[in-house]
Amino acid sequence: MSLTAIGLGFIVIGAGLGIGLIGKGAMEAMGRQPEVLPKIQTAMIIGAALIEGVALFAIVLAWLVDK
Amino acid sequence: MVKSFRILLVSVFIWVSGTILFAEEHEGKAAEEQQFDALGMIMHHISDSHFWHVIAFEKKDGSVFEISIPLPVILIYDGSIHLFLSSAFHHGKSVVQKGNHFFKLHHDKIYVTDAAGELTFSEDGTPENIKPLDFSITKNVASMWMSVLIIFALFVSSARKYKGKPSAPSGIQSFVEPLILFVRDDIVIEQIGEEKADRFMPFLLTVFFFVWINNLIGLIPFFPGGSNVSGNIAFTFTLALFAFILINVNGTKTYWKDIFATPGVPGMVRIILIPIEVVGIFTKPFALMIRLFANITAGHIVILSLTSLVFILKTVYVSPVSMSLTLFMFLLELLVGLLQAYIFTLLSALFIGMAVHNEEH
């Protein structure tokens, strides 16, 4: 149980770092080139969704292992 | 079309009002004496049920008065179909006899038992009795039908206005049209391309509005809403299965070549690459399924936990904190509900777009 909880913490750290970096990159790109803002937004959401997907896989696996 | 739709609406209304509201009293201890079970309450609220709970309140003598709508139970067991209303279970207290078979409700699952309703439990507390095939119209199914009706009401009326002479949008049409144009121009055409977009518009548009409206209905905290439809793994599984079929049925030669004979990769590397690519076929819709399920369920759990704070800490002074946090989460979930519908549609369109693209680029 506690080991799974630690693992979940790591998952959140990883996903948070990843989505944070994507957000940072997108913000900088938007600041430099506001004219391609919609494209950057779409790409940002897709990237964030893929990272989130990995995090959710890990959470599901953690839940299965813990069961 | 509209006439038949009205008839449908009226018949549903008659069904709902004609079904006798199922009121019941249980012997309950006064709330202060009972230990508040936050986890049990939350799990009860996010899971599916054979009853559509309306309201429950405690009477002065401490007994609990509960009103819920009984839903039809459809069971297939031993080669025959059994049909009855879920009120026959009396919330799990009674055994229902159909022919030679006896059915009992235990934690919203139906089991086959003997006449006395004995359940044998395994070591971890789950019943070992046989489960019949359960095709019941549960709370989630009924709620889903409700959102289908809402979608029909929204779209059939506005679709009719495009017949005949074109005119400026009016009424509900001016709400629906920008949303449809957003899905078409910013999601489908962007990801799939102009020429093939029309083929996938019906599916993606349906998914967008179906997920969104189910998300919103799930956020209504009282009777006709509140069922966790889009946070049900079976629901998201079905949507993801449709996406999976669409992606792979429409996959071009280029799509399959990228998987089984990736261009520009030496033969030995392919031994490693092909399994990864094949797994990738399944992980894409799997991620769609888990993402929607986890996001919506997590939202419901957080809202319910914040509401439970008052009962866990057993003081009324925490209620301003609990109420404001709950309100904040509700507003956030309104955003998440739209965002998840958008992401589901966007990623489905992206995967379909990847599958239907051709070699030249």
Side-chain angles (χ1 to χ4, degrees), chain B residues 34 38 51 60 76 85 97 167 171 176 184 190 209 222 227 235 263 267-268 275 288-289 326 345 351 357 360:
Chain B
Q34 265 175 349
F51 298 91
K60 273 190 187 135
I76 295 182
L85 276 181
Q97 184 180 11
S167 58
V176 167
R184 191 189 69 184
E190 188 99 330
F209 284 102
F222 43 81
S227 39
F235 174 84
M268 291 306 278
L288 281 181
M289 169 180 93
T326 310
T345 320
F351 296 146
H357 77 133
E360 72 274 2

Side-chain angles (χ1 to χ4, degrees), chain B residues 189 192-200 356 358 360:
Chain B
I189 290 182
I192 300 178
E194 193 122 18
E195 61 195 280
K196 284 177 179 165
D198 282 353
R199 258 171 70 196
F200 300 104
V356 298
N358 277 317
E360 72 274 2

Side-chain angles (χ1 to χ4, degrees), chain B residues 73-336:
Chain B
V73 175
I74 304 162
L75 299 174
I76 295 182
Y77 180 65
D78 209 18
S80 55
I81 299 173
H82 304 285
L83 198 87
F84 53 95
L85 276 181
S86 63
S87 50
F89 283 123
H90 291 99
H91 286 280
K93 287 199 280 280
S94 310
V95 181
V96 176
Q97 184 180 11
K98 286 281 151 188
N100 297 323
H101 304 301
F102 297 91
F103 301 107
K104 193 174 185 349
L105 194 70
H106 178 78
H107 283 284
D108 268 317
K109 295 264 190 310
I110 295 169
Y111 298 94
V112 180
T113 59
D114 54 6
E118 289 288 323
L119 289 167
T120 46
F121 292 95
S122 65
E123 272 173 26
D124 56 345
T126 49
E128 281 173 329
N129 294 47
I130 306 161
K131 283 192 221 168
L133 282 176
D134 191 352
F135 290 95
S136 307
I137 311 299
T138 54
K139 187 175 93 176
N140 278 357
V141 178
S143 176
M144 204 157 73
W145 285 355
M146 192 172 76
S147 58
V148 168
L149 284 181
I150 291 173
I151 289 175
F152 262 116
L154 274 178
F155 288 89
V156 172
S157 64
S158 44
R160 256 166 27 99
K161 292 188 179 158
Y162 291 94
K163 280 181 186 157
K165 245 197 293 175
S167 58
S170 63
I172 208 129
Q173 190 190 3
S174 39
F175 167 72
V176 167
E177 191 180 295
L179 288 169
I180 292 175
L181 286 180
F182 165 72
V183 174
R184 191 189 69 184
D185 296 342
D186 290 350
I187 302 178
V188 184
I189 290 182
E190 188 99 330
Q191 303 299 335
I192 300 178
E194 193 122 18
E195 61 195 280
K196 284 177 179 165
D198 282 353
R199 258 171 70 196
F200 300 104
M201 269 301 279
F203 171 71
L204 294 166
L205 209 57
T206 312
V207 160
F208 180 79
F209 284 102
F210 197 42
V211 170
W212 187 30
I213 286 183
N214 273 320
N215 286 347
L216 291 185
I217 287 177
L219 286 178
I220 301 172
F222 43 81
F223 162 57
S227 39
N228 187 22
V229 178
S230 44
N232 184 307
I233 196 87
F235 174 84
T236 58
F237 169 79
T238 313
L239 288 184
L241 184 71
F242 284 141
F244 173 76
I245 292 169
L246 269 182
I247 293 164
N248 289 294
V249 166
N250 290 293
T252 54
K253 218 186 256 174
T254 326
Y255 168 74
W256 292 110
K257 216 168 114 187
D258 278 347
I259 292 170
F260 289 107
T262 320
V265 171
M268 291 306 278
V269 184
R270 274 185 195 160
I271 298 171
I272 313 165
L273 216 53
I274 288 174
I276 295 174
E277 290 281 352
V278 169
V279 169
I281 299 174
F282 297 98
T283 51
K284 282 174 202 160
F286 186 75
L288 281 181
M289 169 180 93
I290 298 290
R291 180 176 301 109
L292 185 59
F293 161 74
N295 271 291
I296 304 303
T297 306
H300 279 244
I301 290 174
V302 171
I303 288 175
L304 289 167
S305 323
L306 289 173
T307 317
S308 313
L309 268 185
V310 184
F311 305 104
I312 293 170
L313 297 176
K314 284 181 188 151
T315 159
V316 77
Y317 298 109
V318 82
S319 58
V321 180
S322 156
M323 288 294 251
S324 46
L325 283 174
T326 310
L327 186 64
F328 169 73
M329 275 313 293
F330 261 114
L331 293 175
L332 192 71
E333 283 304 306
L334 280 180
L335 175 73
V336 169

Side-chain angles (χ1 to χ4, degrees), chain A residues 2-21:
Chain A
S2 57
L3 208 61
T4 325
I6 293 168
L8 285 170
F10 278 120
I11 297 167
V12 172
I13 290 174
L17 266 179
I19 294 178
L21 282 174

Side-chain angles (χ1 to χ4, degrees), chain B residues 335-348:
Chain B
L335 175 73
V336 169
L338 178 60
L339 192 71
Q340 289 306 318
Y342 169 64
I343 286 179
F344 197 101
T345 320
L346 177 73
L347 288 177
S348 305

